[in-house]
Amino acid sequence: MTIRVLLVDDQPLLRTGFRFILEAEQDVTVVGEAGDGSTAMDQARALLPDVVLMDIRMPGMDGIEATRRIVREAAPSAHVPRVLVLTTFDLDEYIVEALRAGASGFLLKDVPPDELLQAIRVVAAGDAIVAPSVTRRLLDRFATHLPTAHQQATPARLDRLTERELEVLRLIAKGLSNAEIARELVVSETTVKTHVGNVLTKLALRDRVQAVVLAYETGLITPGALP
């Protein structure tokens, strides 16, 4: 299957660079480009991409609002684009809001080409990207942007999980992959996948990114607790 990608960034040079990297791969094709959120919405509607590489700071409609609208508009249909947010980190203070808006993960703009391609393939397959080093830096730095106590999802939601599932959720929030969780808990990777699926189903979460945000919002894990 060829992965259809829409590039959204207000810098043409960056879009050209990403296009050059992506179109060198046989299983990836760039179907369109946009320089702002409004155009991105139109392109997503017309071109039906599998993955949208979305910048955050753009003129007019920003990447957060564009992500929210693209995901919301496509939700009732069979084809829902997966949004992969691109950030310069030092400038973007709204990554948590982007994840809440429906993004399936985030990358730094200086990500190595092989990691960019891997992230696109993972997201296109229906999973999410939570890079451990970026997760740690973002959540430590922007902890004050998380909701206050009266805004948080009630911790009672976590009562639906078994002790082992809670343990798995903590490790997901620390950015560990399934393989790393399996080594940590001394179980098989298949068992971990089962636990992860149970966590997402019981908590009505779309993917691992939402699981990370929920873990912080409910106080299950706090900034600074990452390895």
Side-chain angles (χ1 to χ4, degrees):
M1 182 186 73
T2 300
I3 301 171
R4 298 164 55 83
V5 178
L6 173 63
L7 301 177
V8 184
D9 196 293
D10 62 339
Q11 300 183 48
L13 188 59
L14 277 176
R15 297 201 305 268
T16 299
F18 285 129
R19 178 183 282 273
F20 179 80
I21 292 170
L22 300 185
E23 293 197 331
E25 301 297 307
Q26 293 185 344
D27 63 334
V28 180
T29 184
V30 176
V31 296
E33 299 182 15
D36 59 74
S38 180
T39 304
M41 285 184 56
D42 293 339
Q43 294 279 61
R45 191 181 301 118
L47 301 174
L48 300 178
D50 300 305
V51 177
V52 180
L53 287 185
M54 179 75 75
D55 188 19
I56 289 183
R57 295 200 172 190
M58 296 179 291
M61 184 187 298
D62 64 19
I64 296 174
E65 183 60 24
T67 295
R68 182 179 295 111
R69 295 192 185 190
I70 288 172
V71 172
R72 183 175 60 199
E73 181 176 300
S77 68
H79 184 86
V80 180
R82 308 283 290 185
V83 179
L84 194 55
V85 170
L86 299 169
T87 173
T88 53
F89 177 71
D90 289 333
L91 297 177
D92 297 330
E93 300 177 353
Y94 305 108
I95 192 67
V96 173
E97 286 86 344
L99 297 179
R100 290 200 186 104
S104 294
F106 54 89
L107 297 172
L108 297 181
K109 284 187 177 179
D110 60 356
V111 62
D114 59 333
E115 293 184 20
L116 171 63
L117 291 165
Q118 177 63 15
I120 289 173
R121 292 179 179 119
V122 168
V123 167
D127 209 334
I129 291 295
V130 183
S133 60
V134 179
T135 301
R136 177 173 60 250
R137 291 164 62 192
L138 286 170
L139 291 175
D140 282 348
R141 179 166 178 173
F142 300 128
T144 56
H145 289 265
L146 293 173
T148 56
H150 71 277
Q151 295 173 311
Q152 292 179 359
T154 172
R157 289 183 66 183
L158 302 183
D159 289 342
R160 308 170 189 174
L161 304 182
T162 65
E163 284 300 318
R164 178 47 62 94
E165 289 165 353
L166 275 173
E167 196 170 9
V168 168
L169 178 56
R170 289 190 185 94
L171 296 175
I172 291 173
K174 291 181 179 180
L176 273 63
S177 67
N178 286 351
E180 291 168 334
I181 294 174
R183 289 194 294 270
E184 179 79 14
L185 300 181
V186 195
V187 296
S188 70
E189 192 168 345
T190 299
T191 298
V192 172
K193 289 180 180 178
T194 299
H195 288 315
V196 171
N198 289 341
V199 168
L200 299 182
T201 299
K202 289 182 178 181
L203 300 180
L205 301 174
R206 186 184 64 250
D207 51 39
R208 297 169 77 100
V209 172
Q210 289 193 335
V212 171
V213 173
L214 178 65
Y216 277 82
E217 288 179 341
T218 57
L220 183 66
I221 190 169
T222 58
L226 299 177

